[in-house]
Amino acid sequence: MPLALLALAVGAFGIGTTEFVIMGLLPEIAADYGVSIPTAGLLVTGYALGVVIGAPLLTVLGTKVSRKRMLMLLMALFVLGNVVSALAPNFGLMLTGRVVASLAHGSFFGIGSVVAADLVALDKKAGAIATMFTGLTIANIVGVPLGTYIGQATGWRTTFVVVAALGVVGLLGVAKLVPPTPRPEGAHLRRELTAFRNPQVLLAMAMTVLGFGGVFAAITYIAPMMTRVAGYSDGAVTWLLVLFGVGMFLGNLLGGRYADRALMPMLYVTLGGLAVVLALFTFTAHSKILAAITVLLVGALGFATVPPLQKRVLDQAHGAPTLASAVNIGAFNLGNALSAWLGGIVIAAGFGYTSPNWVGAVLAAAAFVLAFWSAALERRTPTPDPVGAAARAPVHH
């Protein structure tokens, strides 16, 4: 395995950690700044919206410089954002730091996957890309719980200092280990935009927004839900996030395995199951054991939707998948932003800390309906077979 893949995996680990660790630290951050939990939830929304904007924009701008240099610039932007978050004297500056860090998210994964594939032989490209994304998976099993523990034990600012340090390691690793890369040719933006004329591409992205949004409606507020409803201690949030990360890991494996065999049936099962589990979470959140099981199931069902949803977009985009893939990364995060915002609204309205689960259930159910609509439309207006490379493209978010 080329050592350059390790550098990319470290960067992915840092990005994955900073994206998700905020959920376990919301109560501490809210208390420190003297804001409500729903207001603190804007730190999730702001990050997600930054990815939505940054993914396509920086992917296109990145064609003007070499990929190695662009990866270094993205990691520098990521470090800057986390340093600002760690030192922010007020909530507004903290939110600014989150947005700055988020701008690097989508483009790093998009450009990094191309670089990873170029590092190895033709028959090992998918494995190389998967190695880079292992950093994101491990972040949710190790980085997020560890970051939550550090934040609760020594102060949440320490967590962001550690994440910034990870970014520095990733930056240095890219600079030292990634070989020089040629400046890529133009992005052919006009051709890439033609993919968005296909209604199936737009429907797939809508499913992404709603389906993954269902997960974040609940998980954004997992800390207050588990401590104030289920009765867990603050320290228990760490291992609950481990459970969620394990669910993510297992769900992503299952989704990736079965997406190629039966993509739409896989979406029916995962989106329908997610809607049911999220609805039940309103009730299981009152029991420690049932709440823990439900957290695991939300992670598994939620991330089992990721491979088929990403593959659906790539399949329907045909010969112009690059921008569509980047925009779909943004779509996952648009769902995060939407659901975190809606979850904050229902909590602020006095419906309790379990009410975001109903928001998530409704969003997942809407995605389930769109999946059937998309399949019905496809049967009436069949589309050509996707380009082989796009159909076999690796899955990420």
Side-chain angles (χ1 to χ4, degrees):
M1 180 186 74
L3 288 177
L5 291 177
L6 178 60
L8 295 174
V10 170
F13 180 86
I15 291 174
T17 299
T18 205
E19 179 183 16
F20 290 100
V21 76
I22 195 74
M23 274 79 81
L25 299 175
L26 276 186
E28 287 78 11
I29 294 173
D32 196 20
Y33 285 123
V35 299
S36 66
I37 291 290
T39 299
L42 292 175
L43 297 173
V44 178
T45 302
Y47 186 96
L49 290 178
V51 178
V52 173
I53 296 169
L57 178 62
L58 293 183
T59 297
V60 173
L61 292 178
T63 62
K64 308 303 180 183
V65 299
S66 73
R67 293 191 177 106
K68 176 176 179 175
R69 178 172 294 181
M70 189 62 190
L71 286 172
M72 293 172 63
L73 290 172
L74 290 170
M75 288 311 300
L77 191 64
F78 172 78
V79 171
L80 174 63
N82 281 284
V83 169
V84 171
S85 295
L87 301 177
N90 56 64
F91 183 78
L93 197 55
M94 169 66 171
L95 180 58
T96 300
R98 290 284 292 168
V99 172
V100 169
S102 72
L103 293 174
H105 183 121
S107 295
F108 182 87
F109 287 120
I111 296 172
S113 64
V114 176
V115 172
D118 288 343
L119 291 171
V120 297
L122 184 64
D123 60 342
K124 296 181 180 180
K125 290 183 181 295
I129 296 171
T131 298
M132 184 190 74
F133 282 102
T134 298
L136 180 63
T137 303
I138 295 175
N140 288 283
I141 298 176
V142 178
V144 173
L146 183 59
T148 301
Y149 172 78
I150 291 172
Q152 291 176 342
T154 65
W156 61 266
R157 295 179 187 275
T158 307
T159 297
F160 288 96
V161 171
V162 172
V163 172
L166 284 172
V168 172
V169 174
L171 171 60
L172 295 176
V174 170
K176 182 70 175 178
L177 300 176
V178 174
T181 56
R183 177 178 173 179
E185 297 181 2
H188 306 294
L189 183 59
R190 182 177 299 177
R191 182 172 67 88
E192 292 287 341
L193 287 173
T194 61
F196 297 93
R197 298 177 183 174
N198 182 355
Q200 290 289 359
V201 171
L202 300 180
L203 280 172
M205 290 183 177
M207 283 186 273
T208 296
V209 171
L210 296 172
F212 205 69
V215 176
F216 257 66
I219 296 303
T220 296
Y221 301 99
I222 185 174
M225 192 190 314
M226 293 297 95
T227 57
R228 303 184 188 184
V229 178
Y232 282 108
S233 65
D234 289 341
V237 174
T238 299
W239 70 262
L240 286 168
L241 288 173
V242 171
L243 272 182
F244 179 68
V246 170
M248 289 170 56
F249 177 78
L250 296 175
N252 196 50
L253 285 180
L254 291 174
R257 180 175 182 180
Y258 291 105
D260 283 324
R261 302 182 184 181
L263 191 150
M264 294 308 293
M266 185 66 183
L267 279 179
Y268 302 151
V269 171
T270 54
L271 291 172
L274 181 61
V276 171
V277 168
L278 285 169
L280 290 175
F281 201 6
T282 304
F283 307 102
T284 60
H286 295 273
S287 163
K288 286 185 176 182
I289 295 177
L290 294 179
I293 294 172
T294 308
V295 167
L296 177 69
L297 290 175
V298 169
L301 288 169
F303 277 76
T305 68
V306 173
L309 284 171
Q310 183 75 355
K311 185 174 185 295
R312 180 72 172 172
V313 169
L314 293 173
D315 285 354
Q316 297 301 325
H318 304 311
T322 306
L323 185 59
S325 178
V327 172
N328 200 48
I329 294 173
F332 281 108
N333 286 273
L334 179 59
N336 300 352
L338 174 67
S339 60
W341 175 64
L342 291 174
I345 286 178
V346 294
I347 291 175
F351 291 103
Y353 287 111
T354 62
S355 57
N357 297 328
W358 283 113
V359 173
V362 171
L363 292 175
F368 177 77
V369 171
L370 283 183
F372 273 96
W373 184 19
S374 177
L377 180 63
E378 190 172 35
R379 285 192 294 269
R380 290 197 298 269
T381 55
T383 56
D385 289 336
V387 174
R392 294 187 296 272
V395 171
H396 60 275
H397 75 75

